[in-house]
Amino acid sequence: MTINDYDFSGKRALIRVDFNVPLNERFEVTDDTRIRAALPTLKLILSGGGSVVLMSHLGRPKEGPEHRFSLKHIVPALSSLLGKEVTFVDDCIGSDAHAATSAIQPGEVMLLENLRFHKEETAGDEGFAAELAKHGDVYVNDAFGTAHRAHASTAVIAGFVGDKMFGLLMQDELENLDRFMQSPASPAVTIVGGAKVSSKIGVIQNLLPRVDYMLIGGGMTYTFVRAMGGEVGNSMVEEDKLDMAIEVIEAAKKHNVKLLLPPDSVIADEFQNEANRDSCPSNEIPMGWMGLDIGEESIRQYREAILACKSILWNGPMGVFEMENFARGTREIALAIAEATDGGAFSLVGGGDSVAAVNKFELASRVSYVSTGGGAMLEYLEGMELPGVAAIKNGEA
């Protein structure tokens, strides 16, 4: 059963969305990307004659309700984007909340209070999940960003509802990830960046058998370079992960994958934008200096590899792109991916920093798909089963 086939007429759709959005000191939404991402699912259900009951978390409240984490702050932005009045319900369980959602009429939208005001949500409590399930006739999970959590609203609830399905956003995320993971057009390349090898090792190991090229960038570069005997100065190195880096290099050889490390780096004498800068081979960085971006030869080689490929996955920046003087490497890789996509390649960008980068350089519209998943995407790329996905696919939590 998919959301496209289902008859929502007269049904209350209980939708788990991800409205964990940033707010300013006046409690106004400062980035509405996640709200916008949910709109197609909401509109599909409303146009099909259904009503919508929304549930989400916001932030990490410690002990019960906190004003700054109330989802009532989201209502003005949500109503404006949806073009429809949204009724706020000031709890997510209890007799008053159930009375409100029981009286909802077709075409109406209600938003329940923050799920995490109850500790039972993150504990995956069955009783709490059963109470949540009373708010709807059909359960829709459209929160890919929390699909890796076995929480009451994301996974356990599936055991207490009859009809259940993915929302359009969740469907899109899984289809695009599976397109790269299960049947990538060859040649395929994965570009992995970020600070630490340890945080991406699962992704690297799971993707190596699936790709023709793997390009490494960001701070993790220098753990690889050190492992190979290079001099990295004061660059970031995970000293306890040198063996892990060598294992990746050996695995790439075994799978006949072309593993590219940056031959040169842009270096700085301090970790700040105004630091003195230079460039040098990545394995000859002097003491007192650190690598903060990939260099010109690295950009040339990486660009060549990207443009040779038909399937591209990018997860993690090439340098400290938040500092303008060390953003060139990440920008040029983003531009190469956009150019390859213009030429017919399939490109998937995911992970908070990569998404921030394509948005910063205004290239999101020139890649095939931008994943909103973050941690969920990482775990999916590692080959792990996501509780929120399994709960729908297997028909039980």
Side-chain angles (χ1 to χ4, degrees):
M1 177 73 65
T2 74
I3 192 168
N4 306 85
D5 311 322
Y6 192 80
D7 180 8
F8 286 98
S9 180
K11 299 280 182 71
R12 294 175 303 154
L14 177 60
I15 312 175
R16 177 51 159 105
V17 288
D18 182 4
F19 285 173
N20 185 27
V21 296
L23 305 174
N24 62 20
E25 66 282 352
R26 295 186 302 279
F27 303 108
E28 297 163 334
V29 175
T30 56
D31 182 347
D32 62 13
T33 305
R34 286 178 171 167
I35 299 175
R36 287 179 184 277
L39 295 179
T41 294
L42 275 54
K43 288 177 177 176
L44 177 73
I45 292 168
L46 293 168
S47 66
S51 56
V52 165
V53 180
L54 298 166
M55 56 180 177
S56 178
H57 73 287
L58 175 63
R60 295 185 176 182
K62 294 283 187 286
E63 295 292 331
E66 288 183 56
H67 175 73
R68 66 191 175 119
F69 292 130
S70 174
L71 278 168
K72 71 182 178 186
H73 306 310
I74 309 294
V75 172
L78 175 59
S79 297
S80 172
L81 289 166
L82 190 57
K84 181 180 280 286
E85 183 184 343
V86 174
T87 303
F88 180 69
V89 181
D90 62 9
D91 203 347
C92 58
I93 57 169
S95 56
D96 289 351
H98 288 128
T101 58
S102 294
I104 196 170
Q105 297 299 306
E108 292 182 350
V109 180
M110 289 185 176
L111 174 64
L112 303 177
E113 181 57 287
N114 193 338
L115 294 160
R116 291 190 186 172
F117 284 173
H118 297 267
K119 62 181 187 300
E120 292 87 351
E121 161 65 359
T122 52
D125 183 84
E126 290 199 356
F128 182 70
E131 287 297 301
L132 291 175
K134 293 176 183 175
H135 290 298
D137 305 309
V138 52
Y139 169 68
V140 179
N141 190 345
D142 211 21
F144 184 68
T146 56
H148 58 316
R149 308 283 188 210
H151 292 172
S153 70
T154 59
V156 183
I157 191 173
F160 297 94
V161 294
D163 296 337
K164 45 190 166 282
M165 63 202 66
F166 297 128
L168 294 173
L169 174 63
M170 188 85 138
Q171 217 167 256
D172 259 9
E173 289 275 0
L174 295 171
E175 282 174 6
N176 281 282
L177 283 164
D178 285 345
R179 181 172 171 183
F180 190 91
M181 296 294 286
Q182 295 178 9
S183 54
S186 188
V189 58
T190 295
I191 304 137
V192 184
K196 296 180 176 180
V197 181
S198 56
S199 64
K200 299 288 174 78
I201 187 63
V203 173
I204 291 170
Q205 289 171 334
N206 196 41
L207 290 178
L208 270 174
R210 294 173 163 83
V211 299
D212 303 282
Y213 293 87
M214 184 166 284
L215 317 183
I216 302 291
M220 71 171 72
T221 297
Y222 305 103
T223 298
F224 281 94
V225 174
R226 169 70 68 82
M228 295 165 70
E231 299 293 335
V232 297
N234 289 41
S235 302
M236 180 174 192
V237 172
E238 289 182 279
E239 295 287 353
D240 60 339
K241 298 294 184 286
L242 301 182
D243 289 346
M244 187 183 280
I246 294 297
E247 286 168 16
V248 169
I249 292 166
E250 294 303 319
K253 288 177 187 169
K254 176 185 159 193
H255 291 292
N256 204 23
V257 173
K258 193 161 186 184
L259 179 71
L260 296 184
L261 293 164
D264 60 342
S265 294
V266 177
I267 60 174
D269 60 355
E270 285 183 277
F271 190 81
Q272 59 179 29
N273 190 51
E274 289 75 29
N276 293 309
R277 279 172 293 151
D278 204 347
S279 58
C280 69
S282 296
N283 59 358
E284 295 178 15
I285 300 175
M287 286 307 295
W289 293 75
M290 64 191 83
L292 295 184
D293 195 12
I294 59 173
E296 290 301 317
E297 178 58 21
S298 305
I299 290 170
R300 189 191 69 74
Q301 288 186 17
Y302 283 20
R303 179 181 155 77
E304 192 176 294
I306 290 164
L307 291 174
C309 290
K310 292 180 180 172
S311 301
I312 303 161
L313 170 66
W314 181 26
N315 179 261
M318 297 294 97
V320 190
F321 75 98
E322 299 88 348
M323 298 183 195
E324 190 51 42
N325 286 332
F326 305 101
R328 178 168 159 75
T330 301
R331 182 187 296 111
E332 290 299 320
I333 293 310
L335 282 164
I337 294 169
E339 191 175 327
T341 310
D342 290 345
F346 170 72
S347 56
L348 174 61
V349 178
D353 286 339
S354 301
V355 174
V358 292
N359 287 332
K360 177 179 177 176
F361 305 133
E362 298 182 343
L363 293 168
S365 62
R366 289 183 59 199
V367 299
S368 306
Y369 194 75
V370 178
S371 172
T372 61
M377 178 191 174
L378 271 185
E379 290 195 14
Y380 202 73
L381 294 178
E382 288 174 11
M384 296 168 72
E385 185 173 67
L386 306 185
V389 174
I392 301 284
K393 283 190 173 175
N394 304 340
E396 60 186 16

